[in-house]
Amino acid sequence: MARALIELVIAVGFITSVLSLTQSSPSTSLLLYEGPRPAMLLPLFHTPPNTTSRSSSNSRRLLQRSNARMRLYDDLLHGYYTTLLWIGTPPQRFALIVDTGSSVTYVPCSTCEDCGRHQDPKFQPDLSSTYQPVKCSLDCNCNSESGQCVYERQYAEMSTSSGVLGEDLISFGDLSELEPQRAVFGCENMETGDLYSQRADGIMGLGSGDLSIMDQLVDKGVINDSFSLCYGGMGVGGGAMVLGGISPPTDMVFAHSNPVRSPYYNIDLKEIHVAGKPLPLNPNVFDGKHGTVMDSGTTYAYLPEAAFVAFKDAIMKELHSFQKIRGPDPNYNDICFSGAGSDVSELSKTFPAVDMVFSNGQKLSLSPENYLFRHSKVNGAYCLGIFHNGNDPTTLLGGIIVRNTLVMYDRQHSKIGFWKTNCSELWERLHISGETPNRENSTAKIPPTLAPAEAPLYGLPRELPIGKITFNLLVNISYSNLQPHITELAKFIADDLDINPSQVHLLNFTPIGNDSLIRWAIFPPGSSHYISNATAASIIARFAEHRVRLPGTFGSYQLVGWNIEPLAERFWNVVYLETQTTKAQSLQACQCSCSRARTAANIDNLGAVFAW
């Protein structure tokens, strides 16, 4: 898990007014000031009672009006969540870190020589028929040479991003009710630090400010002034995001958020309880500097010194029966305990409950997965995921605090809601809940090029009998701990995919630092069968979206690559002979297909497709 903080944006340029940018008025300008806005709200996360029946019924009435419904994908190595956006006409796809602490959305520009190698190709403005540069005016920082508005951002862990501002169509995928919208974004010409080395293409800025994607959509009147995030749990990643309003569940917990208090999303935290006992702290300890900030781009949580010491002491007092051990990384003085067992669902029996109490008396109850992370070298050991924030008196609550929690950032009413649920299933609930989209604003009217589907992530050739699927899983459990159970893991995979265990084969098993990289192969059920395209795409999608459920003993996993191989040429001939209408057509199709199969390269990258 990454310890770097992708948050707390520093604005370099300050402007005094904002004008909306439209396709018909290319010479307009926009606000770059990132200070407090008079009508802005902040984000929070909560963990209410875990009631399956109630969660299921409430989820069916969550969506209202027009929304952008989007999947979240977790990067287990770097500790962040991404979603997919498409920019331009035709659309160019990007995987962006979802960051409530950033106010600008940006991607690498094709002209950038100081940008890292990321998941997708750089944005090419020249290939988009709808792209317009944001021209210089009195309202922006200006590059006099190019005559274009520029931006620059620096983050707490000292990574930086800078570039020019452009405007284009932003598409959210054809699973979203929201039409593609014109919006201003950053086209990077330079990036440093974690922004340079990360796999994600860039940042989706959901924070406060007129360049924020949220502010732009709200100003257009296409969504309500609210958005929601739901991060998966310790054992299962993924999740969901909704841009726009939702009807909150009846048992959602709320905290007040003061947009004037800080330029970042904050909450009015007053107390922390451990095992039902309040920490001996002055409530003002959580109100230092920026207050208590919710930041989706930060992995862990960070407390002021007095609060951290009190929290650590209270936790250790409750865990006196556990053995304290060294952390997995010698560069950090982590507080870790062994002997708890590997089943995440059982941790609440051995680790204490933690409550965060707000000024309105409502409380966010944290389960152990909300303040612990797995020890990557010792099976059944866990470490505190809440740390000392150095000399900064700000309380910073990252993604760990809101695992398996639907967090509603109700900016319109200046409050943040928390509702405990299974976030890895929330997307499915929202998608198949039976809600009827508002067809007046539906993407059904939009040309396919402006409403791209997410299916190309797992795009496969449509008429290719598949003989083998191979894929790489990165599991956050050490080689030595996993090796004795590898056969057991293969059986769990087969059971979850509803296939015969004999179809799942281990190809390679390699230690990668504190993790394990496993290469698997899935074969057809018999020598006279093949794997259909639909089945192969479903298997790949289930791993990529963390819908394959494995016991907590195997830690979390990430799909880092996949490959499909066509059926053996002899059987492929038979398949085509049987599917054509005449013998002559069959022979012709077979010869053509077999020739292509011999020259086609294997697919080894997530999202790649055959290029014949």
Side-chain angles (χ1 to χ4, degrees), residues 432-503:
I432 63 174
S433 64
E435 295 286 340
T436 302
N438 180 352
R439 289 304 173 191
E440 291 185 7
N441 296 315
S442 170
T443 53
K445 293 182 178 180
I446 302 169
T449 55
L450 299 185
E454 297 188 25
L457 270 176
Y458 324 112
L460 301 175
R462 295 188 175 177
E463 294 184 3
L464 177 65
I466 297 170
K468 181 171 69 172
I469 305 170
T470 57
F471 55 95
N472 297 326
L473 287 185
L474 184 67
V475 185
N476 70 331
I477 185 173
S478 66
Y479 180 92
S480 58
N481 287 328
L482 183 57
Q483 188 177 25
H485 305 285
I486 197 67
T487 303
E488 181 184 359
L489 178 56
K491 186 178 185 304
F492 278 119
I493 291 175
D495 290 345
D496 197 276
L497 295 176
D498 197 24
I499 61 178
N500 194 298
S502 63
Q503 294 178 245

Side-chain angles (χ1 to χ4, degrees), residues 8 42 258 261-270 283-294 302-304 389 392-397:
L8 299 183
L42 332 171
N258 184 355
R261 168 68 179 82
S262 166
Y264 311 109
Y265 294 130
N266 58 79
I267 57 173
D268 56 349
L269 178 64
K270 294 301 180 184
N284 293 332
V285 71
F286 302 113
D287 199 37
K289 197 174 181 180
H290 296 296
T292 298
V293 174
M294 303 298 301
Y302 299 82
L303 301 178
N389 204 15
D392 191 339
T394 300
T395 297
L396 185 63
L397 304 181

Side-chain angles (χ1 to χ4, degrees), residues 416-445:
I416 298 173
F418 308 89
W419 184 57
K420 193 65 175 179
T421 187
N422 188 330
C423 289
S424 62
E425 296 178 352
L426 183 65
W427 166 256
E428 282 74 15
R429 292 181 191 156
L430 293 177
H431 182 51
I432 63 174
S433 64
E435 295 286 340
T436 302
N438 180 352
R439 289 304 173 191
E440 291 185 7
N441 296 315
S442 170
T443 53
K445 293 182 178 180

Side-chain angles (χ1 to χ4, degrees), residues 198-438:
Q198 68 191 16
R199 173 172 166 77
D201 299 312
I203 298 290
M204 181 177 182
L206 297 173
S208 168
D210 291 282
L211 286 181
S212 165
I213 189 69
M214 274 298 303
D215 284 50
Q216 294 187 64
L217 295 177
V218 170
D219 289 344
K220 288 175 177 287
V222 295
I223 63 171
N224 290 336
D225 197 3
S226 177
F227 68 95
S228 300
L229 298 175
C230 205
Y231 286 178
M234 183 183 291
V236 181
M241 175 171 70
V242 178
L243 302 184
I246 63 174
S247 296
T250 55
D251 53 346
M252 178 170 268
V253 172
F254 287 96
H256 175 67
S257 182
N258 184 355
V260 181
R261 168 68 179 82
S262 166
Y264 311 109
Y265 294 130
N266 58 79
I267 57 173
D268 56 349
L269 178 64
K270 294 301 180 184
E271 297 179 3
I272 295 180
H273 297 180
V274 175
K277 305 171 186 176
L279 300 181
L281 295 169
N282 186 321
N284 293 332
V285 71
F286 302 113
D287 199 37
K289 197 174 181 180
H290 296 296
T292 298
V293 174
M294 303 298 301
D295 184 15
S296 67
T298 295
T299 305
Y300 299 111
Y302 299 82
L303 301 178
E305 182 176 7
F308 170 73
V309 171
F311 177 77
K312 176 196 67 174
D313 291 346
I315 290 290
M316 295 185 68
K317 181 179 179 181
E318 296 295 324
L319 301 178
H320 54 81
S321 61
F322 286 98
Q323 179 183 358
K324 185 179 178 182
I325 61 174
R326 295 178 60 87
D329 191 334
N331 295 316
Y332 298 99
N333 188 27
D334 290 327
I335 300 172
C336 305
F337 307 91
S338 65
S342 300
D343 190 344
V344 176
S345 64
E346 298 292 318
L347 292 182
S348 58
K349 296 180 179 179
T350 52
F351 286 90
V354 174
D355 297 316
M356 291 187 169
V357 183
F358 310 128
S359 60
N360 60 7
Q362 297 191 43
K363 64 181 181 180
L364 167 62
S365 297
L366 306 182
S367 59
E369 72 170 349
N370 296 122
Y371 63 85
L372 297 173
F373 66 92
R374 291 182 190 274
H375 195 299
S376 57
K377 295 182 178 179
V378 180
N379 192 31
Y382 299 86
C383 306
L384 283 185
I386 297 180
F387 303 96
H388 179 208
N389 204 15
N391 295 323
D392 191 339
T394 300
T395 297
L396 185 63
L397 304 181
I400 189 173
I401 296 294
V402 290
R403 284 172 170 169
N404 274 335
T405 305
L406 175 65
V407 182
M408 185 178 73
Y409 298 78
D410 185 352
R411 303 170 8 139
Q412 181 177 355
H413 300 102
S414 298
K415 61 182 180 180
I416 298 173
F418 308 89
W419 184 57
K420 193 65 175 179
T421 187
N422 188 330
C423 289
S424 62
E425 296 178 352
L426 183 65
W427 166 256
E428 282 74 15
R429 292 181 191 156
L430 293 177
H431 182 51
I432 63 174
S433 64
E435 295 286 340
T436 302
N438 180 352

